[in-house]
Amino acid sequence: MTTPFPFTAVVGQDDLRLALLLNAVSPAVGGVLVRGEKGTAKSTAVRALSALMPEVDVVSECRFSCDPGSPDPGCPDGPHEPGGFASRPARMVELPVGASEDRLVGALDIERALSEGVKAFEPGLLADAHRGILYVDEVNLLHDHLVDLLLDAAAMGASYVEREGVSVRHAARFLLVGTMNPEEGELRPQLLDRFGLTVEVAASREPEQRVEVVRRRLAYDDDPAGFAARWAEEEADVRARIVAAKKLLPSVRLGDDALRQIAATCAAFEVDGMRADIVMARTATALAAWAGRTEVLAEDVRQAALLALPHRRRRNPFDAPGLDEDKLDETLEEFSGDDDPDPDPDPDPDSGPDGPGGGGGQPAPEDGPQDGPQGGDQEARPEAEQDGQPQPQPQPQPSGVGDQSAARSSEPFRTKVLSVPGLGEGAAGRRSRARTEHGRTTGARRPKGSLTKLHLAATVQAAAPHQRARGRSGPGLVVRRDDLRQATREGREGNLVLFVVDASGSMAARQRMSAVKGAVLSLLLDAYQRRDKVGLVTFRGSGADVALPPTSSVDAAAARLESLPTGGRTPLSAGLLRAHDVLRVERLRDPARRPLVVVVTDGRATGGPEPVALAGRAARLFAAEGVASVVVDCESGPVRLGLAGQLAGELGGTAVTLDELRADSIAGLVKDVQGTSRRAA
């Protein structure tokens, strides 16, 4: 067995270690989500925590780790007789990103359930993790329905398996830890809210601390057992402290003052729902127990807010989690429980807000104009600067191809649904029709491998003609394995939405480019909601660039879009060819995910010999491969050349204007896109 890296040997990452320890003391906190860049000891710290967890007593021969002191009355292996228990270390169970639903929650033997009425249940990972740790690395890449099942079990403390009217329930209480790299995509806000605490981690920028990280890691790699032995005493101390805090936890008092601070803090930060209040209360109680106190203090409430609220402040998909600590301190001070509005019984009249000690250390202005930086220049200074905001300086215009600084995008809007025609088999999502594990039942087939979704009617129909030959004599149906039928279901898949954006000089007018960016941002928001991968190709000047390779991080695409400069000629053919190369490579990596190409341009093509003919030949490559495509026509003005429509015809797709892209405009957009693409294919 591999010796884990000692928890106490992890350098820095104080918030991460504290959040994990608080969940070890009180699993009711609700787990922790660890967000951060790659190589920041996220997985190392989580795996190291398992060695600190106290041993658990379990009923002998129980596959669900029932507590002998209070066994689960509904345990599938029960009822349990008194006595007969064993002690073992708490387990740490890892949930792979590609796990199936049956692997997570367990599976029923459908054949025995139908023919014998026996609930033959094979436990899943939730049962293995009961009274231990369940660790999900890259939780943001886990399928949404698995995340829902996982978080429901964590919230209810039980797992339910339902198969065609046969149900099994077992206890599933565990410390849930998820890690993720935000660059690879975000969790939905409603799923973020289900994690009790969230911690942001980053690599230290201090050279000495980085040196110590490398030194300890090399020492561990050379001799894991010897390195762990050198930290054994510190590990034992932390383990003993966890045990002591768990015993003290029921005695910790959460007073009315602390409760008011918790409620006021959640209200001040406009947190939705009541889960944040409950999590903060449990976290503050665990903090007090960890400190060896039986009373929750304001400092516990503050620390609980820093761990429990930042991820719940994420209102929009492109918002970064965070918390204004100054506002937090003001709220806690306002509801500190001190009934005396003036803490100083004998105030100095010269020390008020207008005196030597007030006004943030700035001398009070006197009547009349003054000279100097705080005086009579007030009227000459720009209005924004007088309000404390620096006035933005005009950006210099670079020479060369006529580059212009990036324009800000306009407000995003709800877009029409763009989808890929046909029936796919890609990753679960919400855009195009696909054969999926979840959705409406459309038919039945023989199972390939293990049966996951039984089609009951088809199974009975397959078994019925053979009952006499099989010697059926009782009321039960004699079912053989080759009678079983798998339900085929149709749902929705996520696609690869590849944006090809014209950033040339013809698009450079400020108001026009702002509208274009707003449209692309709207489509990115739609891609986020529909669980798509996105990519961004831009073309301007003399060539095209892959501004963002295909990724699940829509946030990254939005950030690249905001900083996109414009100017120069319009190498349309280069942009299309670069997009074609991106799709070719991505098809090798993820062949089941179907692409949707969204070209954002006015259709002009300039630069090089025969630019229009070259663009047409490049576009016909997409049409020949049946790639679904949409051209967002950015041409404006009373006179339109219709070049974007011609490009759409070459692509085998359809063209829509910026106005038509809005959800409240034309009704037949999806039908038009699909119909045109299908004819081209």
Side-chain angles (χ1 to χ4, degrees):
M1 183 177 179
T2 305
T3 303
F5 192 90
F7 186 84
T8 52
V10 175
V11 179
Q13 309 296 10
D14 295 337
D15 288 343
L16 168 59
R17 292 191 293 170
L18 177 61
L20 291 172
L21 291 170
L22 292 177
N23 275 273
V25 170
S26 175
V29 166
V32 57
L33 176 65
V34 187
R35 299 164 42 92
E37 58 197 25
K38 51 189 175 293
T40 49
K42 300 188 298 292
S43 300
T44 298
V46 175
R47 294 189 176 99
L49 179 68
S50 61
L52 298 178
M53 299 291 285
E55 288 193 342
V56 294
D57 293 334
V58 298
V59 175
S60 299
E61 307 301 326
C62 177
R63 296 174 297 167
F64 301 88
S65 303
C66 279
D67 185 350
S70 57
D72 179 13
C75 177
D77 284 357
H80 298 299
E81 298 295 331
F85 70 92
S87 295
R88 62 164 175 77
R91 293 173 179 157
M92 193 194 79
V93 177
E94 295 195 38
L95 174 62
V97 169
S100 66
E101 180 179 336
D102 286 343
R103 184 71 185 101
L104 176 63
V105 300
L108 287 169
D109 189 330
I110 301 297
E111 182 179 356
R112 293 189 63 191
L114 288 176
S115 59
E116 304 174 30
V118 176
K119 294 181 181 180
F121 182 68
E122 184 66 28
L125 295 177
L126 292 180
D128 293 342
H130 181 45
R131 305 176 66 200
I133 302 173
L134 182 60
Y135 172 46
V136 188
D137 193 13
E138 306 295 352
V139 65
N140 52 324
L141 302 183
L142 198 65
H143 285 186
D144 284 348
H145 74 280
L146 293 183
V147 177
D148 289 332
L149 290 170
L150 180 64
L151 295 176
D152 283 343
M156 296 185 296
S159 174
Y160 294 85
V161 182
E162 302 285 345
R163 291 290 188 274
E164 304 298 337
V166 181
S167 63
V168 172
R169 174 212 165 274
H170 65 83
R173 291 183 295 274
F174 46 81
L175 192 167
L176 176 62
V177 183
T179 57
M180 60 174 282
N181 183 349
E183 294 177 357
E184 297 172 340
E186 284 284 359
L187 278 172
R188 288 179 287 158
Q190 57 268 44
L191 296 181
L192 278 173
D193 183 58
R194 300 293 292 274
F195 281 94
L197 310 179
T198 296
V199 177
E200 296 278 346
V201 296
S204 172
R205 299 299 185 256
E206 295 293 332
E208 290 302 320
Q209 196 171 63
R210 297 175 73 99
V211 166
E212 186 61 23
V213 170
V214 176
R215 182 182 291 120
R216 292 186 186 182
R217 185 69 210 190
L218 293 178
Y220 170 78
D221 291 341
D222 289 342
D223 183 10
F227 184 81
R230 292 197 292 274
W231 291 89
E233 185 175 348
E234 289 84 350
E235 294 281 286
D237 290 343
V238 174
R239 190 179 299 109
R241 189 174 174 185
I242 292 174
V243 173
K246 289 175 73 74
K247 292 180 179 178
L248 183 62
L249 187 64
S251 303
V252 176
R253 177 179 175 274
L254 183 64
D256 289 343
D257 289 344
L259 276 173
R260 288 192 190 93
Q261 286 183 318
I262 290 171
T265 300
C266 293
F269 285 100
E270 301 178 352
V271 177
D272 295 334
M274 295 298 298
R275 184 176 284 119
D277 304 62
I278 296 170
V279 170
M280 274 190 65
R282 290 171 174 167
T283 305
T285 304
L287 280 162
W290 178 249
R293 290 184 269 101
T294 57
E295 185 78 18
V296 173
L297 304 180
E299 62 194 66
D300 300 322
V301 176
R302 186 183 193 279
Q303 184 64 57
L306 293 174
L307 294 173
L309 295 188
H311 60 298
R312 293 183 168 90
R313 290 280 297 150
R314 195 169 190 259
R315 296 286 180 177
N316 297 313
F318 303 137
D319 290 344
L323 202 67
D324 185 342
E325 295 194 32
D326 291 337
K327 182 177 179 179
L328 173 61
D329 290 335
E330 291 173 4
T331 304
L332 294 176
E333 180 65 26
E334 181 181 355
F335 291 87
S336 62
D338 189 350
D339 295 331
D340 185 0
D342 187 357
D344 187 355
D346 186 20
D348 182 352
D350 292 333
S351 62
D354 294 331
Q362 297 292 336
E366 298 178 3
D367 294 338
Q370 298 180 7
D371 296 330
Q374 297 178 359
D377 282 345
Q378 291 277 346
E379 295 182 2
R381 291 162 58 193
E383 181 180 350
E385 212 170 295
Q386 293 181 31
D387 292 337
Q389 299 294 329
Q391 179 75 6
Q393 297 298 319
Q395 298 294 328
Q397 296 296 326
S399 59
V401 294
D403 290 359
Q404 297 188 13
S405 58
R408 295 183 62 85
S409 65
S410 60
E411 285 297 318
F413 52 85
R414 190 165 64 90
T415 66
K416 283 288 185 182
V417 180
L418 307 177
S419 63
V420 179
L423 195 63
E425 296 183 348
R430 296 184 177 182
R431 183 172 296 278
S432 304
R433 295 173 54 235
R435 298 182 185 91
T436 60
E437 289 293 320
H438 299 270
R440 64 184 182 91
T441 300
T442 58
R445 60 174 174 81
R446 292 181 180 273
K448 299 176 182 178
S450 60
L451 180 72
T452 56
K453 299 290 183 183
L454 177 74
H455 195 296
L456 183 58
T459 299
V460 172
Q461 186 177 5
H466 308 291
Q467 296 306 295
R468 182 176 297 178
R470 293 173 182 174
R472 174 187 173 188
S473 58
L477 189 68
V478 181
V479 179
R480 303 282 172 81
R481 180 162 295 278
D482 56 357
D483 297 327
L484 300 178
R485 294 295 182 267
Q486 174 85 25
T488 57
R489 302 195 174 193
E490 182 179 311
R492 294 283 172 176
E493 67 176 358
N495 298 109
L496 167 60
V497 182
L498 182 62
F499 294 94
V500 185
V501 180
D502 184 349
S504 64
S506 64
M507 304 281 288
R510 286 305 174 118
Q511 188 174 0
R512 185 178 181 187
M513 197 61 195
S514 178
V516 169
K517 286 189 175 183
V520 178
L521 190 63
S522 303
L523 290 167
L524 283 172
L525 179 60
D526 182 68
Y528 170 86
Q529 294 168 340
R530 300 185 186 280
R531 317 291 181 262
D532 295 316
K533 291 180 71 173
V534 296
L536 179 62
V537 173
T538 64
F539 57 94
R540 58 190 283 268
S542 59
D545 296 311
V546 181
L548 184 72
T551 176
S552 297
S553 178
V554 178
D555 300 50
R560 300 289 173 88
L561 178 69
E562 283 293 338
S563 60
L564 179 65
T566 57
R569 294 183 176 180
T570 311
L572 178 57
S573 60
L576 294 174
L577 290 174
R578 181 59 62 91
H580 187 266
D581 288 342
V582 170
L583 293 185
R584 177 178 53 81
V585 173
E586 192 64 20
R587 193 176 293 119
L588 297 174
R589 294 175 177 170
D590 192 357
R593 189 180 292 269
R594 298 186 296 162
L596 172 64
V597 176
V598 180
V599 184
V600 185
T601 182
D602 56 10
R604 289 181 172 86
T606 60
E610 300 183 343
V612 176
L614 286 175
R617 285 199 291 269
R620 286 190 288 273
L621 292 175
F622 293 86
E625 296 175 1
V627 177
S629 58
V630 180
V631 178
V632 179
D633 184 358
C634 302
E635 193 173 23
S636 60
V639 179
R640 296 173 179 259
L641 301 179
L643 298 177
Q646 297 176 22
L647 175 63
E650 299 281 4
L651 287 166
T654 190
V656 295
T657 65
L658 291 175
D659 290 336
E660 291 171 341
L661 192 61
R662 294 179 178 272
D664 54 1
S665 62
I666 60 174
L669 178 58
V670 177
K671 180 179 178 181
D672 291 343
V673 172
Q674 293 183 344
T676 306
S677 298
R678 191 178 292 111
R679 287 193 298 272

